[in-house]
Amino acid sequence: MPDRASFPPPSIDATQTLLTGAGYVPDRALATVLHLALRMGRPLLLEGEAGVGKTEVARTLARALGRRLIRLQCYEGLDLAGAAYEWNYPAQMIAIRLAEAAGESDKAEIASGVFSERYLQRRPLLEALMPDPAGPPVLLIDELDRTDEAFEAFLLEVLSDFQISIPELGTVKAEHPPIIILTSNRTREIHDALKRRCLYHWVDYPSAERELEILRARLPQVPQALSRQVVAFVQALRREDLFKVPGVAETLDWAAALVELDAVAVDPALAQDTLGVLLKYQDDIARTDAAAISRLLDEARHAAGRIA
């Protein structure tokens, strides 16, 4: 792991090495935009299909830097109470009743006491602004497109000023801004106001060479010949007319599954039996019948030898 003095990485190559050393194999474009985000202290918005490795960038970066990863998993209906903070109302009520029982009558003083940090429950956005001895954390705001558009407005203050305004308490501002990575599967467009506060990168499916490199880095126990065949088959499968083609996560899962089955090569029966590791929709599985699998395996056998 690099020491804190190496942050931010001094070059694009150093950024690429940082991630590669922690098991993530970025292409040059991703390493460049991440390097710029770290050097400029700007949030980074990663968009792309599900399963291409967007979330893993944040996980790997936190691991490589020795920083805490704070994850805000977005969903429809997410609000400020779930994302930033909320007051501990039961504890506040108990405090008020105890104060009244003790004969305290100054309402302003009682209100000041119960709206203090003691009764504040931090959620991921606020937690990411707190000081950390290990250094500012990596804040992952995952699958932003799952939230309502109105929720994006909550994020603008955090993304531009690294602070949150709490009406009863004041403004909480990070002494050292967190590293912020947002991801979106692009099921809807993210608002321009939010995009302007971020650097942006589209994460695509990897080339066969890079996918093989990823597989080797993440699952070194998979035999080399099997790794090439797995990658070549998945690359061929992605060219099929499917509702949802497999991502890198599925490639890794399939390779791990084949190792669990003590496979050293993929044959048509094994591919058919394990297709559910790669494809998650019944229509896609039904479309990939025995004839399609034989054709894809033939393509994979010819392509595997050409993957460096």
Side-chain angles (χ1 to χ4, degrees), residues 52-262:
V52 294
K54 304 182 297 297
T55 300
E56 197 58 31
V57 173
R59 287 187 183 136
T60 304
L61 189 61
R63 191 166 61 247
L65 294 172
R67 305 288 181 87
R68 189 158 58 115
L69 176 68
I70 297 176
R71 179 175 184 168
L72 174 61
Q73 178 62 56
C74 297
Y75 55 88
E76 188 177 355
L78 179 63
D79 59 11
L80 195 61
Y85 70 89
E86 64 180 330
W87 293 104
N88 187 340
Y89 293 117
Q92 286 177 315
M93 288 302 299
I94 291 172
I96 291 171
R97 288 174 181 172
L98 288 175
E100 290 173 344
E104 296 178 21
S105 58
D106 189 330
K107 294 182 179 178
E109 187 175 339
I110 293 174
S112 174
V114 295
F115 285 110
S116 62
E117 287 200 29
R118 179 180 179 183
Y119 299 99
L120 189 65
Q121 295 179 319
R122 297 174 192 152
R123 303 306 183 211
L125 295 182
L126 182 59
E127 186 63 31
L129 304 182
M130 297 294 107
D132 192 316
V138 175
L139 171 61
L140 168 63
I141 302 175
D142 208 14
E143 299 185 329
L144 178 62
D145 52 322
R146 286 180 178 271
T147 64
D148 306 316
E149 291 183 28
F151 177 76
E152 293 179 24
F154 292 141
L155 294 177
L156 298 182
E157 185 181 19
V158 175
L159 297 181
S160 59
D161 299 320
F162 306 108
Q163 67 179 35
I164 291 175
S165 298
I166 303 174
E168 302 89 348
L169 193 63
T171 299
V172 178
K173 185 177 178 63
E175 185 177 348
H176 300 288
I179 300 164
I180 303 178
I181 294 181
L182 307 95
T183 75
S184 166
N185 294 333
R186 209 178 184 185
T187 56
R188 67 170 177 83
E189 284 295 328
I190 303 300
H191 197 280
D192 285 348
L194 190 144
K195 282 189 170 182
R196 282 199 301 273
R197 287 161 169 79
C198 305
L199 303 190
Y200 175 86
H201 183 72
W202 174 263
V203 183
D204 211 342
Y205 293 108
S207 65
E209 288 74 16
R210 196 163 75 83
E211 189 157 28
L212 181 60
E213 208 176 338
I214 293 168
L215 201 160
R216 285 170 172 164
R218 299 295 298 275
L219 297 173
Q221 73 275 23
V222 180
Q224 290 298 316
L226 182 61
S227 296
R228 289 175 185 276
Q229 195 177 8
V230 164
V231 168
F233 183 86
V234 173
Q235 292 272 330
L237 189 58
R238 288 192 187 125
R239 292 191 287 272
E240 296 293 294
D241 181 21
L242 300 174
F243 178 72
K244 177 68 180 74
V245 300
V248 178
E250 281 73 34
T251 303
L252 296 173
D253 283 347
W254 194 42
L258 295 176
V259 169
E260 287 293 328
L261 296 173
D262 296 324

Side-chain angles (χ1 to χ4, degrees), residues 269-299:
L270 183 60
Q272 186 81 64
D273 291 345
T274 56
L275 205 55
V277 182
L278 290 171
L279 302 177
K280 307 302 170 64
Y281 288 87
Q282 175 55 27
D283 288 349
D284 288 343
I285 292 175
R287 191 174 291 120
T288 314
D289 56 15
I293 286 177
S294 292
R295 174 173 51 79
L296 291 169
L297 282 173
D298 282 343
E299 289 181 31

